[in-house]
Amino acid sequence: MADATTTRAATMEKIVALCKRRGFVYPGSDIYGGLANTWDYGPLGAELKNNLKQLWWRTFVQRRRDMVGLDGGILMHPRVWEASGHVVNFNDPLVDCKTCKSRFRADHLIEERLGQDAAGKTPDEMSAILSQANLPCPKCGNRTLTDARQFNMMFRTTIGPVEETGVQVYLRPETAQAMFVQFKNVLATSRVKLPFGIAQIGKAFRNEITPGNFIFRDIEFEQMEIEYFVHPDDGADAFERWLADMRAWFGRIGVREEHVRVREHAKEELSHYSSRTVDFEYLFPGPMGWKELYGLANRTDFDLKQHQEHSGEDLTYFDQPTGARFLPHVIEPTFGVDRTFLVVLLDAYDEEETVDVNGKPDTRVVLRLHPRLAPYKAAVLPLAKKPELTEVAKTLFDTLEAETGALIDYDETANIGKRYRRQDEIGTPFCVTVDFDTLQDRAVTIRDRDTTNQERVPLAEVAGWLRERIV
Ligand code: GAP
């Protein structure tokens, strides 16, 4: 296993280039010159992202008896965001440069340029620190930064045909709220008993002041979130159990332990709803270093209490065995889909020094994705584009698709070496080659992506062989 810091092949630049070259992620609105910090997932990216979301859903919803799913809307009643505290609290401290008009997060400037801790500081306190340091604009160098002011990160839009008289609503900045707002309906319709969780996967939107680092900080992104409802006395224990369950997830997606650490939030840093938060941080290569990947928060009864007060609906839970009625507390494990996608690629990316067919030094790029996540589980490759081979290969392709239910690639172009390299680079775990011997021995060669070892397997057994290795 590679060492965390010394022998890592992946850089952000290489991953961005690979994503574009192979159709994982494209810049959004590319033919119009792009729209800054928006991205579209291409054919292979869409497959990888779907595989990730399906695995998460199977792991945390379908395989657990204490979880149910929800698929809430992006638009919600505007009072939801008043109750949740987002209208007042979901702000980032912003400074502008009067000369070049660039915008920066005041807390990031203080932390990154001055090396001081900005957690919990008010905009006035941050302004005082910045003006005392007389910090130049990081973009143009002029000492013309404004004071810090709060900037609400929710995107607004209007429902109704006439903008002036329409209802102003927000694009949700987190998926979490639907799970609180629908708590009562879920209780009434799904026979759940405490402790239980509601999970959902969906888009969230934030008008980030400083998006960037590829898909790490987007203005439109996806979250996989869980609101886990417990008796008020059980919050601390449930928090520990979720900490362990979140750790175990990294093994399922092939992210190395040494690239992940847990960081406890200081009191001043806690969100307005949280009594305890830890971040799972990932060691990104290069200057990014350790950055938040996932979060785990104890939201107490903050949200249910707020929604009860603002909606006037009783959101208490009736505990049949004890006859007690109370507002449950909530533990919230939250996972960003796009960040997961990025770290899975970073951890899977590898380069091997080798020699090409002419004996010249060459580099083999290989994406060592877990077979569960790989876009294609196998590729069927006739050795040459000859009808006697392609006929057998196409029949095998149809059989594998039908009998494994997995996505299989078929490629008869270019020389076999080039085709192997392409499959290595997109993470296909197995290449199945139909050659001239196949016509006699009714067997094929299966090449393993990671070892490049080859195995001869009878045609009739390929589907079963593959099924065993891709779950
Ligand atoms: N419901 C709690 C919540 O939304 P958060 O820490 O603000 O908490 C949860 O976001 C996760 O969503 C993060 O850990 C990260 O994985 C992802 N995330 C947050 N902002 C993001 C952004 N601008 N771009 C991509 N992913 C983001």
Side-chain angles (χ1 to χ4, degrees):
M1 189 163 282
D3 175 74
T5 46
T6 52
T7 59
R8 208 166 170 192
T11 64
M12 286 292 279
E13 292 73 23
K14 286 179 190 168
I15 296 298
V16 174
L18 175 79
C19 280
K20 174 124 200 230
R21 189 167 69 245
R22 292 302 190 187
F24 282 94
V25 182
Y26 307 125
S29 313
D30 209 10
I31 61 166
Y32 287 93
L35 175 66
N37 301 299
T38 64
W39 304 96
D40 292 333
Y41 288 79
L44 294 182
E47 293 296 336
L48 173 56
K49 202 175 184 210
N50 275 337
N51 290 346
L52 272 170
K53 290 191 282 185
Q54 275 170 18
L55 181 65
W56 187 89
W57 195 258
R58 272 208 307 278
T59 306
F60 291 113
V61 185
Q62 294 176 332
R63 285 201 184 149
R64 295 180 59 133
R65 299 192 52 206
D66 57 347
M67 295 288 306
V68 291
L70 186 79
D71 186 0
I74 285 168
L75 302 177
M76 302 181 78
H77 196 290
R79 290 187 55 211
V80 167
W81 306 107
E82 288 167 23
S84 69
H86 283 80
V87 172
V88 173
N89 294 314
F90 199 58
N91 301 314
D92 267 349
L94 168 83
V95 294
D96 287 301
C97 173
K98 286 187 220 155
T99 312
C100 71
K101 311 291 176 221
S102 298
R103 293 187 146 179
F104 306 96
R105 289 253 311 250
D107 52 340
H108 287 181
L109 287 182
I110 291 170
E111 281 162 7
E112 286 158 20
R113 305 274 157 170
L114 303 176
Q116 294 180 33
D117 189 10
K121 298 254 182 307
T122 64
D124 285 350
E125 287 165 341
M126 288 192 229
S127 300
I129 296 172
L130 288 170
S131 84
Q132 199 184 11
N134 198 16
L135 197 71
C137 167
K139 193 98 174 263
C140 72
N142 287 297
R143 296 182 194 278
T144 47
L145 294 178
T146 61
D147 280 346
R149 65 191 161 87
Q150 294 290 31
F151 168 77
N152 193 285
M153 292 162 69
M154 286 195 291
F155 279 105
R156 277 162 232 189
T157 189
T158 315
I159 298 180
V162 184
E163 208 177 315
E164 293 73 35
T165 58
V167 179
Q168 192 198 267
V169 291
Y170 302 97
L171 304 190
R172 66 181 177 199
E174 61 171 8
T175 60
Q177 292 305 319
M179 297 182 268
F180 299 120
V181 170
Q182 295 296 356
F183 173 70
K184 195 175 174 171
N185 279 333
V186 172
L187 265 189
T189 54
S190 52
R191 294 185 299 159
V192 283
K193 298 255 177 300
L194 287 190
F196 75 92
I198 309 179
Q200 92 165 312
I201 300 179
K203 291 264 182 178
F205 302 82
R206 295 183 190 177
N207 204 353
E208 297 275 2
I209 299 164
T210 52
N213 284 321
F214 191 34
I215 51 173
F216 176 79
R217 184 168 284 116
D218 307 313
I219 51 178
E220 171 181 349
F221 56 98
E222 266 182 289
Q223 293 183 317
M224 308 183 281
E225 293 200 295
I226 294 165
E227 306 305 329
Y228 197 74
F229 299 90
V230 297
H231 186 278
D233 295 341
D234 295 341
D237 285 349
F239 194 98
E240 294 305 325
R241 287 199 299 278
W242 275 108
L243 203 56
D245 290 350
M246 289 181 84
R247 259 185 216 282
W249 165 250
F250 291 107
R252 287 185 70 69
I253 56 171
V255 168
R256 283 169 244 169
E257 261 175 47
E258 68 263 31
H259 289 166
V260 178
R261 73 177 185 194
V262 171
R263 187 180 70 80
E264 188 87 34
H265 278 213
K267 218 160 161 227
E268 316 78 67
E269 202 188 341
L270 292 173
S271 310
H272 61 275
Y273 51 72
S274 176
S275 69
R276 181 184 175 196
T277 296
V278 299
D279 283 347
F280 281 86
E281 294 187 334
Y282 177 82
L283 182 59
F284 288 86
M288 272 183 83
W290 291 103
K291 286 268 177 311
E292 177 191 339
L293 175 57
Y294 303 146
L296 174 64
N298 185 340
R299 293 182 79 126
T300 67
D301 59 359
F302 175 87
D303 301 270
L304 288 180
K305 199 189 250 168
Q306 288 290 106
H307 287 304
Q308 179 165 276
E309 271 168 33
H310 282 71
S311 67
E313 290 278 336
D314 179 4
L315 298 182
T316 52
Y317 175 84
F318 179 66
D319 189 47
Q320 207 113 33
T322 60
R325 191 170 268 289
F326 52 86
L327 276 179
H329 279 213
V330 174
I331 304 302
E332 179 193 63
T334 174
F335 304 68
V337 176
D338 311 79
R339 287 187 191 177
T340 309
F341 185 100
L342 181 56
V343 306
V344 159
L345 287 182
L346 283 165
D347 259 40
Y349 184 91
D350 201 6
E351 290 174 357
E352 257 179 31
E353 296 316 320
T354 164
V355 284
D356 68 11
V357 281
N358 303 314
K360 290 217 176 94
D362 194 16
T363 305
R364 182 171 87 102
V365 172
V366 48
L367 216 47
R368 301 189 193 279
L369 290 173
H370 194 291
R372 273 197 290 261
L373 299 178
Y376 293 117
K377 308 303 180 203
V380 177
L381 314 173
L383 187 64
K385 205 173 168 179
K386 295 263 170 32
E388 61 271 38
L389 296 188
T390 55
E391 196 186 315
V392 178
K394 282 178 184 161
T395 307
L396 176 62
F397 170 82
D398 289 341
T399 309
L400 292 184
E401 284 248 290
E403 291 188 15
T404 65
L407 190 65
I408 310 290
D409 198 10
Y410 176 85
D411 187 4
E412 55 183 31
T413 59
N415 71 45
I416 192 74
K418 274 200 179 140
R419 280 182 279 164
Y420 282 155
R421 286 301 174 82
R422 176 177 181 276
Q423 298 298 337
D424 289 343
E425 217 184 32
I426 63 175
T428 309
F430 305 107
C431 284
V432 185
T433 306
V434 175
D435 54 26
F436 291 100
D437 290 343
T438 308
L439 305 177
Q440 264 76 54
D441 66 2
R442 309 300 296 166
V444 289
T445 298
I446 305 187
R447 172 184 175 274
D448 183 289
R449 174 197 68 198
D450 294 336
T451 60
T452 71
N453 289 343
Q454 306 204 353
E455 188 180 335
R456 201 79 186 155
V457 178
L459 265 177
E461 292 171 23
V462 178
W465 187 99
L466 188 60
R467 252 199 319 264
E468 276 173 28
R469 288 162 176 83
I470 58 177
V471 283

